[in-house]
Amino acid sequence: MCLAIPGKVVELFDRKGLRMARVAFGGIQRDTCLEYVPEAKVGSYVLVHVGMALSVVDEEEAARTLELFREMGQLDELDSPQETER
Amino acid sequence: MKHLDEYRDGRVARALLDQIRAAVTRPWVLMEVCGGQTHSIVRHGIDQLLPASLELVHGPGCPVCVTPLEMIDKAHAIAQRPEVIFCSFGDMLRVPGSRGDLLTLKGHGADIRVVYAPLDCLRIARDNPDRKVVFFAIGFETTAPANALAVHRAKLEGVANFSMLVSHVLVPPAMTSILQSAQNRVQGFLGPGHVCTVMGFAEYEPIAAAYRVPIVITGFEPVDLLHGILMAVKQLESGRHEVENQYRRLLGRDGNPAARALIFEVFETVDRKWRGIGSIPKSGYRLRHEYRAHDAERLFEVEDVRTNEPTICISGQILRGLKKPHDCPAFGTACTPQHPLGATMVSSEGACAAYHSYRRHLGEAAR
Ligand code: SF4
């Protein structure tokens, strides 16, 4: 119920004065309301819950956390990013 | 997919587990607050990979589970009215009230519709001007921004035939109530990451200080959970009790102020009853007086419902971290996800349902 998942903003549009976007979650796309995350742009990753974007993934923090994990183990394999999706 | 795969990486998980094992020197009890975290922990067997002295207990953070029976019965009474189109998130449909569930009512002809987003209800209301569209607005702080926006827009656009039956609950008062109990076992918390994307985590700081418990705001992927556990264990082992943020990529201390502003414009805090637990002061939201024209509780006079809860169920103790699903004599026998008897079996995020769907009732996993 509190499930919220990150998706990628692919297109911005307006619906009755509300800031909306098409957001891609893997293969599926859903209309998502961006009223609370005005900073989201095409290409941003947003966290979406019941059709509402709640926050934008902070790419710097995401990179910093992954760096931390790398330091923890010998996780050099992680250095080659998985190009599974674009 | 980016921002998911990295947090499901088995190598990272193993490195974190090694660090947790190295850090733990004494027995500790941690509670994950959120039902989504419970589901992820049980699904990935994280609790069973941890050192035996580190116990995870499962918290009250499943809104479907804790919605009080009185409210479910009220929803059912409203949904049965011929003029009503009753809209709900899908996971409420099989939640048993005193007399059946929404799915059964739908089978008997009630107009009950599953919506993905609360805003969708406004479209349904506009398309059906001669009907009354009622949305069952349940959830924690995570869901409040979407629900608040729906009712705010209804007022703004004059969608008079839209109303909400509000049964919102809040995390911090539930944590406080657990900590205040004389039987409390919880020594540290994995805090609710998604709730905090909205609320931030400043309100957890007084709880950590007053009860001297570490609270680590944690995400939902396996690696997030292990990382949160490691951070909490390090605090416990070194005698610290702070609020720390594991979920930095998605939230800062202040959460989402714009979302919060609309929540406070639309809702006000009230005492709420939690299914299985009882009343907790100031633990929920209801619509403010200015929104009374969209408040289903005021619009539909529902005669005082007489509720009927099975006595065998120990979900209240499970939700407070005192018992585990195995401790219930009905678990997996009289009570299953198909025939739930109590709060924690009704939603996939409830501890009993999570244990059941990952076959813990067969005993192979009992520790
Ligand atoms: S197994 Fe069913 S009856 Fe037992 S505690 Fe869980 S929900 Fe209640």
Side-chain angles (χ1 to χ4, degrees):
Chain A
M1 172 71 228
C2 278
L3 186 73
I5 47 170
K8 188 179 189 175
V9 175
V10 291
E11 186 193 336
L12 298 169
F13 63 95
D14 175 286
R15 181 187 287 159
K16 287 182 168 284
L18 282 180
R19 210 177 135 73
M20 302 287 296
R22 294 290 294 166
V23 175
F25 304 93
I28 7 170
Q29 295 198 356
R30 293 210 102 135
D31 289 359
T32 301
C33 180
L34 297 189
E35 275 298 290
Y36 299 128
V37 290
E39 70 274 32
K41 301 191 239 347
V42 170
S44 303
Y45 282 83
V46 289
L47 182 78
V48 178
H49 172 65
V50 298
M52 184 70 61
L54 297 177
S55 68
V56 181
V57 176
D58 182 330
E59 298 285 344
E60 271 173 40
E61 287 293 355
R64 215 167 291 157
T65 305
L66 291 177
E67 185 55 36
L68 182 79
F69 292 153
R70 241 175 241 133
E71 283 164 11
M72 278 178 185
Q74 299 80 32
L75 296 167
D76 303 329
E77 307 98 298
L78 279 181
D79 282 325
S80 50
Q82 294 158 306
E83 291 291 329
T84 46
E85 172 246 26
R86 188 112 314 190
Chain B
M1 183 181 162
K2 198 167 175 234
H3 295 306
L4 279 182
D5 291 342
E6 299 99 318
Y7 298 93
R8 294 177 181 173
D9 189 306
R11 291 162 300 180
V12 180
R14 275 189 292 279
L16 285 165
L17 270 170
D18 286 344
Q19 298 228 355
I20 292 169
R21 284 193 199 103
V24 174
T25 67
R26 276 172 286 170
W28 298 113
V29 177
L30 287 178
M31 171 179 274
E32 83 280 356
V33 174
C34 185
Q37 293 171 330
T38 302
H39 188 96
S40 189
I41 285 167
V42 177
R43 172 177 183 184
H44 297 283
I46 288 174
D47 51 337
Q48 297 170 333
L49 296 169
L50 296 174
S53 62
L54 182 54
E55 187 185 353
L56 290 183
V57 292
H58 317 304
C62 160
V64 176
C65 302
V66 301
T67 301
L69 195 53
E70 288 82 353
M71 195 55 91
I72 307 267
D73 286 351
K74 225 177 250 185
H76 293 177
I78 294 173
Q80 286 181 70
R81 297 186 179 223
E83 76 276 23
V84 165
I85 299 176
F86 194 83
C87 301
S88 168
F89 294 129
D91 38 7
M92 288 308 285
L93 256 64
R94 297 197 50 254
V95 178
S98 299
R99 287 160 287 272
D101 56 30
L102 284 171
L103 204 60
T104 315
L105 293 179
K106 193 172 157 72
H108 291 148
D111 193 345
I112 294 166
R113 305 192 190 178
V114 171
V115 291
Y116 160 68
L119 275 175
D120 296 344
C121 302
L122 288 190
R123 186 178 37 77
I124 298 174
R126 280 191 222 99
D127 292 348
N128 296 276
D130 53 334
R131 307 282 299 280
K132 290 183 177 160
V133 174
V134 182
F135 174 59
F136 198 5
I138 68 149
F140 278 97
E141 294 94 322
T142 320
T143 318
N147 291 350
L149 186 66
V151 72
H152 182 72
R153 297 292 295 188
K155 188 173 184 224
L156 204 74
E157 297 173 21
V159 187
N161 63 332
F162 170 78
S163 64
M164 289 197 328
L165 181 63
V166 179
S167 186
H168 257 285
V169 276
L170 303 172
V171 169
M175 285 169 64
T176 307
S177 134
I178 288 165
L179 289 166
Q180 277 171 345
S181 154
Q183 309 138 344
N184 172 50
R185 303 180 59 222
V186 179
Q187 294 163 296
F189 286 96
L190 303 183
H194 291 157
V195 162
C196 292
T197 61
V198 177
M199 304 306 283
F201 52 82
E203 60 184 335
Y204 294 84
E205 287 163 357
I207 301 178
Y211 298 94
R212 309 179 67 82
V213 286
I215 301 174
V216 180
I217 312 303
T218 302
F220 290 68
E221 298 302 329
V223 165
D224 287 321
L225 289 159
L226 287 165
H227 188 205
I229 292 166
L230 176 63
M231 289 167 76
V233 165
K234 282 187 172 167
Q235 284 204 48
L236 287 167
E237 290 282 345
S238 60
R240 287 180 296 128
H241 41 83
E242 295 157 20
V243 177
E244 287 183 302
N245 182 10
Q246 182 277 326
Y247 213 25
R248 287 171 176 267
R249 67 186 184 280
L250 280 159
L251 63 103
R253 186 170 183 272
D254 204 24
N256 188 326
R260 237 173 13 253
L262 197 72
I263 291 174
F264 296 143
E265 141 115 36
V266 168
F267 295 122
E268 62 189 3
T269 309
V270 281
D271 300 349
R272 272 240 181 266
K273 198 171 161 192
W274 296 49
R275 191 170 192 171
I277 296 181
S279 183
I280 303 178
K282 303 255 173 260
S283 67
Y285 288 142
R286 73 167 169 214
L287 287 172
R288 286 186 186 276
H289 193 65
E290 292 82 349
Y291 288 85
R292 64 192 174 283
H294 300 283
D295 189 344
E297 256 193 301
R298 296 182 202 235
L299 297 178
F300 299 89
E301 302 258 320
V302 178
E303 57 306 337
D304 235 8
V305 279
R306 196 151 344 118
T307 57
N308 194 355
E309 189 92 90
T311 48
I312 193 168
C313 179
I314 58 162
S315 61
Q317 286 160 283
I318 294 174
L319 292 166
R320 281 174 289 160
L322 303 175
K323 294 256 165 85
K324 294 283 177 67
H326 301 113
D327 300 323
C328 174
F331 176 68
T333 53
C335 183
T336 62
Q338 287 70 41
H339 297 282
L341 289 181
T344 40
M345 190 62 96
V346 296
S347 153
S348 64
E349 289 171 14
C352 294
Y355 274 57
H356 196 274
S357 49
Y358 298 105
R359 308 178 70 76
R360 300 256 177 117
H361 59 299
L362 300 178
E364 91 246 293
R367 188 168 81 187

